[in-house]
Amino acid sequence: VCRKILSAMQERNMADVKVVVGGIVPPADVPYLEELGVAAVFLPGTPLHRITDFVKTSCDATRRAVV
């Protein structure tokens, strides 16, 4: 699914949009997903602050790039 989504996004020049995956993902698949271009993978039990920190940091970086 991620490969198709990332491919479709690339075709539509959406490289600036980050894809985040969360939920039950085999840990062995995480490096593959990151290699595909997934910005972050959050597994079950990930502390909420790690997720919100990632989103905040990503938004701040995008905001700085636009200004």
Side-chain angles (χ1 to χ4, degrees):
V1 172
C2 289
R3 185 177 57 233
K4 289 181 180 182
I5 290 170
L6 291 163
S7 178
M9 289 173 63
Q10 186 176 24
E11 291 171 7
R12 291 165 178 80
N13 298 317
M14 297 175 65
D16 59 323
V17 177
K18 295 189 182 301
V19 173
V20 177
V21 173
I24 301 172
V25 177
D29 290 353
V30 173
Y32 172 71
L33 292 169
E34 291 171 339
E35 197 174 295
L36 283 177
V38 171
V41 179
F42 298 107
L43 303 177
T46 300
L48 184 58
H49 71 86
R50 277 198 54 221
I51 299 167
T52 57
D53 288 349
F54 173 81
V55 171
K56 183 180 181 320
T57 301
S58 297
C59 290
D60 287 347
T62 301
R63 197 172 305 128
R64 281 191 301 272
V66 172
V67 175

